[in-house]
Amino acid sequence: MTPSPSRSPGPSHRRSPGRSLSRRGFALGLPSALLASGCAAPHEGTGRAGDPVVLTLLSHYASGELKKALQGPVDEWNALHDRVKVRTKAVEFTDLLTTFMVRQAAGQGTDILHPYCLWNGQLVRAGVLRPAPPEHAEEIHRGYGAAAVGSASVDGTVYGYPTEMQTYALYYNRRLLREAGVDGPPRTWPELEQTAYRTARQDRYGNTLVQGFGLSTFDDSTTVGQTLALLNAAGGRFVSADGRSTAIDSPAGRAVLDLERRLVDRHASAPAVNVYQAFASGQVAMVISAGWWTANLKALMGTAYRDVGVAPVPLPAADGRRATLSTGFMLGVNTASRHPREAWEFLRWLNTEKVRGTTRMSALQASVGSLTGRADDMRRLLGSGGDPNLHPFLDALAYAVPEPNVPGAQQAKSLLRKNVEALWTGQQTVDEALRSTRRQVDQEVSRSW
């Protein structure tokens, strides 16, 4: 969820992996040791008395609080069920997609997968994910918000239970705004710009002391996440509805890139600065990021965390319709599993059965400062003394737009990042960035179908 030592890097909170490859390319390009490492054979036992079925669950919850949080309900399941047991296995997030694909190609796939939803189109196309049975799909539609269901679906078919959901909002430093004479967080883009210019500070040599608005080339979350959150707020979209072309070369896309370029040109943003460190150090007045960051900021900032506020992503105009970006993960069942019925039953137990008013997965995510797509669960959990800065992210579940998960989505995201960063660093104009993104992403997503 973060570049900080306490969480592994990734999509909303972890750095995304590199280029996507075909199953054959993965199998040929990686050492045989990887094919043999990680999970033990998942299909142990027959289900007869004294010989239980053992399901394996492969995730990126590899260490620390995430590993502990997942193992708790798994241990509970194993204590309650004699015929079906679950064994957790994990790799670092940066290795997760590769491990899914390589193991599948080698016939060593695990029963239950925990993918980043951006990859779902690729995993479906590769024949890795099994569609949710109708009764489970109905439960998912009934129990989760539209953004969560959309993230867990490909072409309208649901492939799993949404787990961690991240929405994007505006973090701001109350002290820096107050010192600049600004009463509160901006609600519109003109207010955002003016606040950024008023709070930005340089020394006499032109070095940045405070960024008014934190644009940063550090990872996907700080480049693509912010850009897509602003694009959605402007009513635009990155990929077309049919998933076969980019839609960023539009008035909304142009407005976003124009805004970002102005902020850089007028020295309110310094893309070379690591915004994660700078915001926590009081050197950034505002930045758009995902809700996972609240727990990390609280740990890093100590008493200075009281200066942190969270507000919805500003809109181009006051009368606009609110929107932002959401990212997420889901738990699904492998097409190669010999025990799909048992795997789906475990997922139903973990994600839908209520204990003290909430599901086990919602309680798991809340324990690590995250959200699920079950707004009723999260309101109940946050209402009992949770961090108030999480509430804007919870509210955003109602209007967030899931990032597109077409077959070429991972590479399309990488291409967008490259062009946005070229814009920020002066290597491309807005026109050039839009044209280059359209050409490159169109080629990628059309090839992936």
Side-chain angles (χ1 to χ4, degrees), residues 73-236:
V74 169
D75 288 345
E76 180 188 358
W77 166 276
N78 288 337
L80 294 172
H81 297 81
D82 293 328
R83 197 182 70 84
V84 178
K85 303 293 184 180
V86 177
R87 175 183 300 160
T88 59
K89 297 292 181 179
V91 297
E92 294 298 330
F93 176 80
T94 49
D95 298 323
L96 188 60
L97 178 59
T98 302
T99 304
F100 287 156
M101 299 293 280
V102 171
R103 287 193 159 283
Q104 199 77 3
Q108 298 174 3
T110 56
D111 295 281
I112 299 170
L113 309 175
H114 194 194
Y116 175 28
C117 290
L118 181 75
W119 306 331
N120 283 350
Q122 179 179 346
L123 293 172
V124 169
R125 184 174 179 267
V128 177
L129 286 174
R130 183 186 297 266
E135 64 274 22
H136 292 270
E138 289 171 9
E139 285 196 39
I140 292 165
H141 275 287
R142 185 168 56 247
Y144 296 84
V149 175
S151 292
S153 302
V154 177
D155 284 343
T157 298
V158 177
Y159 283 88
Y161 283 91
T163 57
E164 174 189 334
M165 287 295 297
Q166 299 294 340
T167 57
Y168 278 66
L170 181 78
Y171 287 87
Y172 62 97
N173 186 304
R174 293 186 179 93
R175 177 182 60 80
L176 293 176
L177 266 61
R178 185 172 59 249
E179 291 174 353
V182 179
D183 293 334
R187 294 163 297 178
T188 65
W189 288 8
E191 291 178 2
L192 174 69
E193 278 197 81
Q194 291 307 310
T195 301
Y197 301 144
R198 290 175 65 173
T199 52
R201 297 203 330 260
Q202 292 83 39
D203 65 18
R204 61 177 177 160
Y205 303 105
N207 298 312
T208 298
L209 298 176
V210 174
Q211 287 191 73
F213 186 79
L215 298 178
S216 178
T217 60
F218 185 77
D219 66 0
D220 282 353
S221 182
T222 57
T223 304
V224 178
Q226 285 202 95
T227 299
L228 293 187
L230 288 166
L231 179 66
N232 291 339

Side-chain angles (χ1 to χ4, degrees), residues 106-434:
Q108 298 174 3
T110 56
D111 295 281
I112 299 170
L113 309 175
H114 194 194
Y116 175 28
C117 290
L118 181 75
W119 306 331
N120 283 350
Q122 179 179 346
L123 293 172
V124 169
R125 184 174 179 267
V128 177
L129 286 174
R130 183 186 297 266
E135 64 274 22
H136 292 270
E138 289 171 9
E139 285 196 39
I140 292 165
H141 275 287
R142 185 168 56 247
Y144 296 84
V149 175
S151 292
S153 302
V154 177
D155 284 343
T157 298
V158 177
Y159 283 88
Y161 283 91
T163 57
E164 174 189 334
M165 287 295 297
Q166 299 294 340
T167 57
Y168 278 66
L170 181 78
Y171 287 87
Y172 62 97
N173 186 304
R174 293 186 179 93
R175 177 182 60 80
L176 293 176
L177 266 61
R178 185 172 59 249
E179 291 174 353
V182 179
D183 293 334
R187 294 163 297 178
T188 65
W189 288 8
E191 291 178 2
L192 174 69
E193 278 197 81
Q194 291 307 310
T195 301
Y197 301 144
R198 290 175 65 173
T199 52
R201 297 203 330 260
Q202 292 83 39
D203 65 18
R204 61 177 177 160
Y205 303 105
N207 298 312
T208 298
L209 298 176
V210 174
Q211 287 191 73
F213 186 79
L215 298 178
S216 178
T217 60
F218 185 77
D219 66 0
D220 282 353
S221 182
T222 57
T223 304
V224 178
Q226 285 202 95
T227 299
L228 293 187
L230 288 166
L231 179 66
N232 291 339
R237 60 189 308 158
F238 177 34
V239 176
S240 62
D242 65 6
R244 297 173 186 268
S245 64
T246 183
I248 198 172
D249 191 0
S250 64
R254 182 175 298 276
V256 173
L257 297 194
D258 277 334
L259 170 65
E260 294 180 341
R261 184 59 183 265
R262 287 195 302 273
L263 291 167
V264 174
D265 287 347
R266 293 186 59 177
H267 308 292
S269 298
V273 174
N274 179 342
V275 75
Y276 291 117
Q277 295 176 355
F279 187 88
S281 300
Q283 297 171 310
V284 177
M286 299 176 294
V287 64
I288 292 172
S289 193
W292 63 264
W293 201 19
T294 57
N296 291 85
L297 287 173
K298 190 180 300 185
L300 287 170
M301 296 178 70
T303 58
Y305 181 72
R306 64 177 178 268
D307 292 329
V308 176
V310 177
V313 173
L315 302 173
D319 59 352
R321 183 176 181 179
R322 203 162 289 292
T324 189
L325 175 71
S326 70
T327 63
F329 286 78
M330 68 160 217
L331 283 165
V333 176
N334 197 329
T335 56
S337 175
R338 296 181 191 172
H339 309 289
R341 184 176 64 81
E342 290 85 351
W344 284 113
E345 187 53 39
F346 167 73
L347 294 185
R348 187 206 302 269
W349 175 88
L350 178 64
N351 292 280
T352 71
E353 186 174 304
K354 301 271 185 163
V355 179
R356 292 184 292 277
T358 64
T359 65
R360 293 174 174 86
M361 179 54 67
S362 290
L364 184 164
Q365 294 299 333
S367 74
V368 294
S370 187
L371 304 174
T372 68
R374 288 184 172 273
D376 56 342
D377 277 5
M378 300 316 302
R379 286 195 179 90
R380 184 182 182 97
L381 290 163
L382 296 182
S384 59
D387 185 346
N389 277 339
L390 284 174
H391 285 276
F393 299 102
L394 172 58
D395 294 341
L397 289 172
Y399 57 77
V401 179
E403 62 182 337
N405 60 4
V406 297
Q410 178 61 66
Q411 180 63 1
K413 185 175 184 178
S414 299
L415 291 168
L416 176 59
R417 177 182 177 182
K418 181 183 74 172
N419 284 290
V420 169
E421 292 179 355
L423 170 75
W424 292 354
T425 55
Q427 300 171 59
Q428 290 184 352
T429 66
V430 170
D431 284 340
E432 289 168 341
L434 288 169

